[in-house]
């Protein structure tokens, strides 16, 4: 990737970020949120009082690095996060963001994934590589480098472009290769030509029609440059993602957000539901991608082959505690529709999930410290003490599956 940095991310670091904004908000996303890492890679049982070592391979302007560093610092974890990126301009922004937050648990390195063994030797407990593999000359070799630096019991959070969800992007890229060839035009001239083309695209153009892709609309020059003028860019279908993982001897644990990769989130016909729900993780994800049509990226957690079963936390483990991710209980409860239906919308698709009648009291009892037995006691007391454990367990399992699928309810060991 280093050969592309000078004429791409040096001029237009991506995504565009202002370090002064760190005082206003922490940008959180997926993968690499600490609660998700614990849930999907360490079965909820990671003790973050112990040393933790992470690699952010292709850190860009720092979103994943800053999120992870802030969360580890807040936990008081003795952690080292190694940021690696070929762009000096992107690194400067990431460093300024870290300085604004007074984070001292990050080591910044300039270089490419191909240089990892020399720049940042492993092993790492966790590796983040988002938006990078699809820009490499040899994504398989790049991923192999990452897996070689991964601790046996660790895992990765990866993101690559989604082929179907980026419909229209590659049509415009092809046009611009002729209109604004990188070999004969300066980057700023190419950007100007891309803007001209965007202003002239008819409503029938596939990029204009694709509501899921908006970097060229909302992220300024950097968004246009990264989306349409990258000199090396490919996208993956779900089966191609699975093949990439298998070739690197990895098991995919979960796609993010999980509900978007469940085909039954998009259909209601009972006959279709029965068939679509019967496949394995990749088979269901493949069907969901084909049905939804708007999965512009594929983010997923993976572990070394053989660890996939049991890597993610499970309600079958009585020691684990449900925790809310990114929202408090009153906020979640306020979002419920009358009748306890939960409605979720993204990129033009709306899904409705029915929930049991006790959803509100169950969520209000989740505080990150209580286990299921204590939550059962509280909910049963509110019900006059009549709620038997089997009925509660059934209700909680349904609540958990829905809110885990939308990435709001995860599991971890009790706080130490």
């Amino acid at each position: 990737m280093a050969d592309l940095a000078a004429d791409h991310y040096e001029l237009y670091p991506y995504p565009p970020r202002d370090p002064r904004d760190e005082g206003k908000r922490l940008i959180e996303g997926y993968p690499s949120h600490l609660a998700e890492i614990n849930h999907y890679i360490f079965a909820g049982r990671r003790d973050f009082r112990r040393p933790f070592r992470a690699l952010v391979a292709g850190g860009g302007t720092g979103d994943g690095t800053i999120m992870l560093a802030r969360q580890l610092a807040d936990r008081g974890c003795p952690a080292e996060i190694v940021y690696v990126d070929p762009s000096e301009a992107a690194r400067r922004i990431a460093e300024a963001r870290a300085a604004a937050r007074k984070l001292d648990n990050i080591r910044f390195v300039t270089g490419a994934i191909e240089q990892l063994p020399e720049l940042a030797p492993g092993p790492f407990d966790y590796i983040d590589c988002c938006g990078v593999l699809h820009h490499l000359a040899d994504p398989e070799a790049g991923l192999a480098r990452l897996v070689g630096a991964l601790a046996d019991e660790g895992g990765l959070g990866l993101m690559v472009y989604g082929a179907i969800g980026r419909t229209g992007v590659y049509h415009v890229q092809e046009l611009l290769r002729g209109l604004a060839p990188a070999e004969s035009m300066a980057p700023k001239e190419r950007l100007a030509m891309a803007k001209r083309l965007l202003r002239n695209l008819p409503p029938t153009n596939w990029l204009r029609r694709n509501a899921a892709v908006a970097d060229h609309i909302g992220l300024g020059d950097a968004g246009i440059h990264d989306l349409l003028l990258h000199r090396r860019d490919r996208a993956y279908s779900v089966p191609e993602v699975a093949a990439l993982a298998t070739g690197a001897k990895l098991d995919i644990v979960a796609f993010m957000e999980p509900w978007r990769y469940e085909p039954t989130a998009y259909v209601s016909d009972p006959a279709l539901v029965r068939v679509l729900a019967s496949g394995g993780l990749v088979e269901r994800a493949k069907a969901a991608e084909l049905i939804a049509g708007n999965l512009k990226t594929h983010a997923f957690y993976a572990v070394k082959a053989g660890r996939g079963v049991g890597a993610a936390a499970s309600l079958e483990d009585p020691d684990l505690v449900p925790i809310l991710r990114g929202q408090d209980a009153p906020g979640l409860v306020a979002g419920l529709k009358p009748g306890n239906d939960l409605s979720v919308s993204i990129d033009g698709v709306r899904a409705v999930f029915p929930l049991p009648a006790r959803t509100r009291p169950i969520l209000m009892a989740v505080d990150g410290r209580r286990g299921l037995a204590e939550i059962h006691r509280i909910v049963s007391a509110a019900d006059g003490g009549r709620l038997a454990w089997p009925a509660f367990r059934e209700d909680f399992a349904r609540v958990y599956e829905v809110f885990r699928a939308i990435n709001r309810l995860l599991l971890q060991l009790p706080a130490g």
Side-chain angles (χ1 to χ4, degrees), residues 24 111 205:
K24 304 174 186 176
N205 176 267

Side-chain angles (χ1 to χ4, degrees), residues 376-407:
H376 170 233
R377 186 189 66 76
I378 292 170
V379 175
S380 181
D383 197 30
R386 297 183 299 271
L387 180 59
W389 170 258
F392 165 79
R393 182 67 173 74
E394 182 178 340
D395 279 357
F396 188 89
R398 178 58 185 156
V399 170
Y400 168 73
E401 277 310 310
V402 170
F403 285 95
R404 180 198 62 82
I406 66 167
N407 205 24

Side-chain angles (χ1 to χ4, degrees), residues 145-174:
R145 288 288 175 92
L146 298 180
V147 175
L150 182 67
D152 286 344
E153 298 304 309
L156 305 96
L158 303 167
M159 185 275 279
V160 294
Y161 291 149
I164 296 175
R166 278 168 68 88
T167 295
V169 171
Y170 298 103
H171 302 143
V172 175
Q173 283 189 9
E174 183 176 351

Side-chain angles (χ1 to χ4, degrees), residues 56-140:
V56 182
T61 51
D63 283 3
T65 304
I66 299 301
M67 175 179 69
L68 189 53
R70 178 74 272 161
Q71 291 174 349
L72 287 165
D74 289 346
R75 288 282 192 104
C77 178
E80 180 193 42
I81 300 158
V82 180
Y83 161 109
V84 177
D85 196 275
S87 168
E88 291 279 4
R91 172 180 167 168
R92 286 193 294 271
I93 294 171
E95 285 181 312
R97 294 176 67 184
R101 290 186 173 274
K102 297 181 171 57
L103 293 169
D104 60 3
N105 53 359
I106 308 170
R107 180 164 68 89
F108 290 92
V109 178
T110 300
I113 286 178
E114 293 86 348
Q115 302 167 295
L116 272 182
E118 300 80 37
L119 296 175
F124 293 95
D125 300 299
Y126 176 72
I127 296 175
D128 169 295
C129 185
C130 292
V132 177
L133 292 176
H134 47 235
H135 291 317
L136 300 184
D138 189 341
E140 291 78 11

